[in-house]
Amino acid sequence: MPTAIENDTELKTSFPLTPQSTLGALVAIVRNPLDALPPSIFKEPLVFSKTAGEVKVYLADPVLIHEALVKNADSLGKGDQVRRALGPALGEGLLTADGAHWKWQRQSVAGAFRHDKLVELQPTMIEAAERTRNRWLENGQGTIDIGHEMMRTTFDIIVETMMSGGHGIEVGKVETGISDFLRPTGWTFALGLVHAPEWIPYPGRGKAKAAVAFLRSSLLSVIEARRKSPDDRRDLVNMLLSASDPESGRTMTDAEIVDNLMTFITAGHETTALGLIWTFDLLARHPEVESQVLAEIDAITEGRPITAVDVPKLVYTRQVFSEAMRVYPPAPIITRTALKDFQLGEYLIPAGTVLIVPIYAVHHHASLWQDPEVFDPGRFSSEAAKARHRYAYMPFGAGPRVCIGSAFAVMEAVAILAVLLQKVRLAAIEPQPPKPVMKVTLRPNKTLGMNLVLR
Ligand code: HEM
């Protein structure tokens, strides 16, 4: 029955439901949540489906995405699903917190991501990429695990830039820890969907718990060391140590600082690494694009070592990274829960409804992209980008909860591509590209080996 909100607009309160079997959805979510998306969301602007007795709203129309994530941001929270899946590791850090607790944390760290600050970090990004490249050159031609290599490089960058060094944290152990934590997240999403009690066991739960305990205790020792010997570095650790809530005046507890360091370390290296892994696979399968990237890098650098000044000039390389994140968005689905009733298009969405923004489906949507499955960096020329709705492309989300590290990530990715591709090319080993599987982030379904070819 139609109802009114604010300016007497007639709003619909019953939804045209797309049937979805709860069991089918649960099985798909455990295996790969991308397979649980209603197929019609790749063609329609908006899909309502009912699983486990609850309506879920899938949004793919950029106008509706803007209306929900930007205009109605205050009516939305991260919700129970996100808290269940990520809360054990990230507590109530910046990614998972809501309301006033989110806001003061965001304001406390915003300074670390200002443009001038990021420019200062560029040499550190370039040096980390050079360490990876030198290791490759020492080992010579052969096969590398590009997943491991990119995780290692971006981890090196995040701990150097945000924590002024790794403080003895072992990258290999962190990488395994994060994978162990993320592996069973399909189960946490599926169990959350049917509101199963949180103690219910599922495969991988014990390993995930141990991984979180290891990661959190490693970071706690970093904070304890910093409290014992304070210094005046303007890095993230010191920003968090000195942050104070404008309302209560209180500072963060050690556990809250760990929540945020965990957030920045995981959100800040795994996503960029995945963007790069997919970029290298796509380049290897599109020699014409690869040649153009190599030509651009050679023309800009003329064989000299890459410097911070070169990075913004690598326009085509940046287009390639953007297009790779369209085809394979590292964060493929974001969700919200309505905290109060709000208007979405012609509908009144009641409090408690779960909203799903399948970035992956937006990026492959038949009405937003021509030949969406084709890899074409030309889509990101400045003219082509101007002709699109801003939210037809949203690898970093939208609205006040947009990724705080988006500029950091792009700068870092372009620098890494330039430093590596100046001296090597990577060739695919398998004839078919890997399948993307969502484990919170979008990973290849198997270890991705690539052949290193010296240039
Ligand atoms: C290619 C790389 C990256 C991608 C694709 C990505 C994607 C995203 C997306 C989609 C969101 C929004 C989540 C939502 O709305 O629910 C987000 C939030 C966030 N990202 Fe990123 N991210 C990347 C790199 C980074 C980096 C490098 C950092 C830190 C150095 C970072 C830190 C964060 C944090 C802290 C949030 C939460 C922001 C808030 O809620 O206020 N991310 N990211």
Side-chain angles (χ1 to χ4, degrees):
M1 185 194 163
T3 186
I5 194 169
E6 283 172 5
N7 49 17
D8 291 341
T9 330
E10 291 277 289
L11 296 178
K12 295 180 183 165
T13 53
S14 66
F15 311 118
L17 292 175
T18 300
Q20 193 175 30
S21 120
T22 300
L23 185 63
L26 290 179
V27 172
I29 288 173
V30 170
R31 288 198 189 133
N32 183 3
L34 287 188
D35 296 339
L37 292 175
S40 50
I41 196 62
F42 288 83
K43 295 191 193 86
E44 302 291 335
L46 177 71
V47 173
F48 296 94
S49 86
K50 201 169 190 175
T51 25
E54 283 172 8
V55 174
K56 304 223 163 4
V57 187
Y58 293 83
L59 295 177
D61 177 5
V63 175
L64 293 176
I65 291 173
H66 178 243
E67 198 172 331
L69 295 185
V70 185
K71 287 197 200 153
N72 282 290
D74 288 347
S75 310
L76 304 174
K78 288 280 176 141
D80 201 42
Q81 289 273 27
V82 172
R83 189 191 54 75
R84 258 182 103 133
L86 300 179
L90 309 184
E92 279 200 76
L94 186 58
L95 184 75
T96 32
D98 273 326
H101 190 49
W102 163 75
K103 201 166 182 183
W104 81 280
Q105 298 189 78
R106 178 112 184 178
Q107 284 165 350
S108 303
V109 296
F113 295 91
R114 279 203 328 257
H115 181 73
D116 53 336
K117 185 76 193 162
L118 296 183
V119 171
E120 280 175 28
L121 300 180
Q122 281 224 330
T124 311
M125 296 173 175
I126 292 171
E127 281 159 27
E130 284 171 347
R131 283 194 283 279
T132 298
R133 187 188 66 189
N134 294 344
R135 207 160 16 85
W136 289 2
L137 294 179
E138 270 164 35
N139 294 341
Q141 312 229 139
T143 305
I144 56 158
D145 169 355
I146 188 68
H148 172 66
E149 293 294 332
M150 289 304 99
M151 293 288 172
R152 189 170 169 179
T153 311
T154 56
F155 182 77
D156 193 356
I157 291 174
I158 203 79
V159 293
E160 278 300 325
T161 54
M162 298 285 137
M163 294 166 53
S164 308
H167 305 274
I169 301 176
E170 274 178 62
V171 56
K173 274 183 129 182
V174 171
E175 191 187 336
T176 318
I178 292 177
S179 295
D180 286 348
F181 169 65
L182 292 177
R183 201 166 297 117
T185 45
W187 282 98
T188 40
F189 284 128
L191 293 168
L193 191 72
V194 292
H195 301 289
E198 294 198 25
W199 51 261
I200 289 214
Y202 50 82
R205 186 188 169 118
K207 240 180 168 182
K209 227 175 150 184
V212 167
F214 160 74
L215 293 168
R216 289 190 66 99
S217 74
S218 310
L219 292 173
L220 187 61
S221 47
V222 172
I223 299 163
E224 283 166 352
R226 200 62 86 86
R227 281 207 198 274
K228 243 187 235 155
S229 339
D231 57 49
D232 57 4
R233 280 181 281 208
R234 289 296 297 153
D235 66 2
L236 186 75
V237 182
N238 278 351
M239 275 188 181
L240 294 168
L241 280 165
S242 61
S244 73
D245 183 342
E247 273 177 27
S248 63
R250 76 175 184 91
T251 53
M252 286 190 201
T253 61
D254 280 1
E256 286 170 334
I257 299 179
V258 171
D259 289 347
N260 277 301
L261 288 181
M262 277 289 285
T263 300
F264 278 92
I265 286 180
T266 49
H269 92 281
E270 215 239 342
T271 40
T272 316
L274 288 166
L276 285 162
I277 294 164
W278 292 114
T279 304
F280 279 116
D281 186 71
L282 286 161
L283 283 177
R285 295 177 197 283
H286 296 84
E288 66 299 343
V289 176
E290 188 192 48
S291 319
Q292 217 172 314
V293 171
L294 300 182
E296 178 179 78
I297 296 169
D298 294 348
I300 302 276
T301 62
E302 296 174 325
R304 330 165 252 100
I306 312 272
T307 65
V309 189
D310 299 321
V311 177
K313 295 184 191 154
L314 295 163
V315 175
Y316 186 70
T317 310
R318 189 160 41 258
Q319 280 180 229
V320 167
F321 184 65
S322 299
E323 171 68 347
M325 289 199 296
R326 181 191 68 81
V327 182
Y328 298 114
I333 297 179
I334 57 179
T335 59
R336 295 288 188 273
T337 299
L339 301 171
K340 50 187 176 197
D341 296 358
F342 77 101
Q343 180 180 349
L344 182 67
E346 51 184 344
Y347 295 97
L348 179 74
I349 305 293
T353 307
V354 172
L355 264 74
I356 298 174
V357 182
I359 297 175
Y360 185 85
V362 176
H363 288 186
H364 291 255
H365 203 276
S367 72
L368 299 174
W369 302 93
Q370 204 176 356
D371 301 323
E373 300 315 313
V374 173
F375 174 64
D376 173 12
R379 301 181 200 270
F380 289 89
S381 69
S382 50
E383 305 82 68
K386 260 185 234 145
R388 262 194 308 273
H389 190 289
R390 179 166 172 196
Y391 298 120
Y393 179 68
M394 45 174 306
F396 296 109
R401 303 303 299 258
V402 70
C403 177
I404 197 168
S406 60
F408 180 110
V410 174
M411 210 179 247
E412 169 188 26
V414 173
I416 294 174
L417 287 168
V419 169
L420 298 178
L421 292 172
Q422 200 182 26
K423 299 278 181 205
V424 302
R425 286 179 44 240
L426 294 176
I429 295 176
E430 301 273 341
Q432 291 302 323
K435 185 173 156 33
V437 177
M438 179 177 166
K439 297 284 171 199
V440 180
T441 48
L442 198 64
R443 301 175 151 228
N445 63 336
K446 51 187 168 188
T447 305
L448 192 59
M450 298 193 83
N451 280 332
L452 192 73
V453 184
L454 303 182
R455 288 186 66 204

